[in-house]
Amino acid sequence: MTDHQVRRHEGEQEDDAGNEPGLELDEILAVLSHELRTPLSTIAGSLEIIAEELEGRVEPRYQLILEAGRRNVNRMTRLLDDLLTISHNGVLVPGTEEFDMRGVVREVVEDLTLPAERRSLDVVLHVPDEPLVVTGDAGQLYRACANLVGNALKFSHEGGRVDIAVGSDGNDAVIRVIDRGIGIPEDARAHLGTSFFRSRNAIERQISGTGLGLRVVQLVADAHDGAFEIDSEEGRGTTVTLRLRTSATGPSSDPTSGPSTAPGAINPDD
Amino acid sequence: MASILVAEDDADLRSLVAFKLASRGHDVVQVVDGAEALASVRSHRPDVVVLDITMPGVSGLDAARQIRDDPALSDLPIIMLTARAGSADVEAGLDTGADDYVIKPFSPRELALRVEGLLERRR
């Protein structure tokens, strides 16, 4: 299967121990992500077919067990998506399509409705009335936003509120995710964005996670000529701001001041 | 009710897809690689082909290209199964002439609806 043959670096030989040089972790991650999708597809499909067949005909507790199975298949899928994203040797291929960032964020919020409801979280989305056109890779940005919103949901206290604001600031598209949850300890700040890092308080509270989410956000921000900032206090909550270059200049609108009232439409370069 | 060819090298996934499509009343033929897929569509043209991208020997992409290059088969509806979530790879699949694609892991119900959507559009 040529699509995922491991590439050897030219001129390199196996060392005395028989270890293959050039078999970078990134290549392993890409291959893993690819190879695991087929069996995962079978598991997801099997559960779906059984759930459909048994709907209404089985006790609720079995329905819950099936749902747990399907939910965790989704979780594994998201992990594979993250692994694929970070497997590109630290550099993502920049995308060239133009799309409206509002749609990407709306999709993220919609896809995370169930996890939010399960913890009675109030998720409030603020989007401007005009399109917010970005040039890049919508899939990568979906992953980055999904990780940020997912984190906000995970680290919030039950019954809490998460605000997601989308707006523009000069040449930048700005996506801000605000939670009032457990926050990030001071000593963890320097390690954020390194692969597989998990902060002490996340581990102590046994909040699930791979430690890859922010690394993905970093790579995606870099690939879009952007940046992300984290403002957090342990016990008070976290605000993450993701900035991306838009393909147009336009009036500023503060993304946290509610629906935008900025006049005029953004003219994307045609 | 249509005749559908399913080409997928993984036995479990292939059976699952075949089961789902058959449960909706379609006639399903299963093959394990691109070479068998080409032989099958040439001898018994189906109404739609479900093609996995990565298969040993003749890949799904190769098979799709050959189907499109064959004047007798070039308008055959093709839907591809891909493990690749990167947009460049999806574009590659569509470039070879697939009409639609689903990304693994996919919902069998979603696949069935897309297959039936393709059939509907060709009617």
Side-chain angles (χ1 to χ4, degrees):
Chain A
M1 288 180 260
T2 56
D3 296 56
H4 51 268
Q5 269 173 5
V6 168
R7 297 176 302 279
R8 282 186 187 276
H9 293 257
E10 291 200 317
E12 289 186 13
Q13 313 273 322
E14 283 188 6
D15 65 20
D16 292 330
N19 293 321
E20 296 175 346
L23 193 57
E24 309 285 348
L25 176 64
D26 289 336
E27 293 176 78
I28 297 175
L29 290 178
V31 169
L32 262 184
S33 173
H34 188 278
E35 286 298 297
L36 289 171
R37 284 177 191 271
T38 293
L40 203 52
S41 204
T42 299
I43 294 169
S46 305
L47 290 174
E48 181 190 280
I49 287 175
I50 291 175
E52 279 177 6
E53 178 61 29
L54 294 181
E55 196 167 353
R57 307 202 288 132
V58 79
E59 291 169 41
R61 57 190 171 140
Y62 290 109
Q63 206 68 39
L64 287 176
I65 288 175
L66 276 174
E67 274 169 39
R70 299 178 72 184
R71 201 161 57 233
N72 280 275
V73 165
N74 289 340
R75 213 171 120 193
M76 281 189 67
T77 304
R78 287 197 293 275
L79 173 56
L80 288 182
D81 288 341
D82 281 348
L83 284 177
L84 185 65
T85 303
I86 71 167
S87 72
H88 291 77
N89 270 324
V91 177
L92 289 174
V93 176
T96 51
E97 16 159 295
E98 280 192 348
F99 49 89
D100 187 349
M101 230 7 239
R102 300 178 305 169
V104 174
V105 178
R106 277 198 186 104
E107 212 185 313
V108 168
V109 171
E110 212 175 279
D111 290 349
L112 290 174
T113 304
L114 278 181
E117 276 172 12
R118 229 176 274 123
R119 304 194 64 231
S120 306
L121 297 170
D122 191 15
V123 179
V124 184
L125 177 60
H126 313 263
V127 286
D129 294 325
E130 322 81 37
L132 189 59
V133 180
V134 168
T135 301
D137 186 318
Q140 288 175 16
L141 286 168
Y142 174 92
R143 286 252 45 77
C145 293
N147 284 346
L148 293 179
V149 176
N151 279 353
L153 299 182
K154 264 194 324 194
F155 297 124
S156 287
H157 302 292
E158 265 202 39
R161 170 171 162 149
V162 171
D163 286 85
I164 301 155
V166 180
S168 63
D169 182 13
N171 279 343
D172 291 345
V174 181
I175 298 103
R176 189 162 285 152
V177 181
I178 304 166
D179 74 71
R180 292 104 185 145
I182 69 174
I184 302 170
E186 195 54 45
D187 58 8
R189 296 302 307 274
H191 302 283
L192 295 175
T194 58
S195 290
F196 304 112
F197 175 76
R198 312 239 32 250
S199 63
R200 170 190 34 85
N201 58 347
I203 296 172
E204 277 169 10
R205 289 165 181 265
Q206 298 190 0
I207 298 173
S208 71
T210 57
L212 293 177
L214 290 181
R215 175 111 186 92
V216 168
V217 175
Q218 182 71 71
L219 289 174
V220 172
D222 291 344
H224 289 82
D225 198 18
F228 85 103
E229 300 152 16
I230 303 185
D231 189 4
S232 182
E233 196 182 323
E234 189 172 4
R236 301 281 313 267
T238 299
T239 295
V240 181
T241 305
L242 175 64
R243 288 176 189 278
L244 311 162
R245 191 153 299 274
T246 58
S247 28
T249 55
S252 273
S253 64
D254 182 343
T256 50
S257 66
S260 166
T261 51
I266 293 177
N267 285 317
D269 291 329
D270 260 335
Chain B
M1 159 114 174
S3 84
I4 304 177
L5 176 74
V6 175
E8 161 65 66
D9 59 321
D10 183 277
D12 286 335
L13 189 57
R14 187 180 63 246
S15 311
L16 196 75
V17 169
F19 175 89
K20 182 67 182 178
L21 294 171
S23 76
R24 292 171 78 93
H26 303 295
D27 263 331
V28 183
V29 173
Q30 301 182 44
V31 294
V32 307
D33 61 33
E36 283 190 13
L38 288 169
S40 180
V41 299
R42 279 167 184 149
S43 71
H44 288 99
R45 184 191 162 114
D47 295 311
V48 64
V49 179
V50 177
L51 210 49
D52 181 31
I53 282 194
T54 44
M55 291 186 290
V58 179
S59 73
L61 289 178
D62 296 331
R65 262 181 228 117
Q66 293 193 45
I67 288 172
R68 290 290 177 248
D69 286 344
D70 184 336
L73 299 170
S74 60
D75 63 340
L76 188 52
I78 297 175
I79 177 165
M80 282 186 151
L81 309 178
T82 175
R84 307 246 188 167
S87 55
D89 300 303
V90 164
E91 266 177 50
L94 293 175
D95 277 346
T96 57
D99 296 276
D100 201 354
Y101 65 92
V102 288
I103 298 173
K104 296 175 184 177
F106 57 85
S107 144
R109 187 159 189 280
E110 174 78 24
L111 175 64
L113 289 174
R114 288 194 194 222
V115 165
E116 287 160 11
L118 264 184
L119 291 168
E120 198 47 46
R121 288 204 288 282
R122 290 307 185 89
R123 201 140 293 156

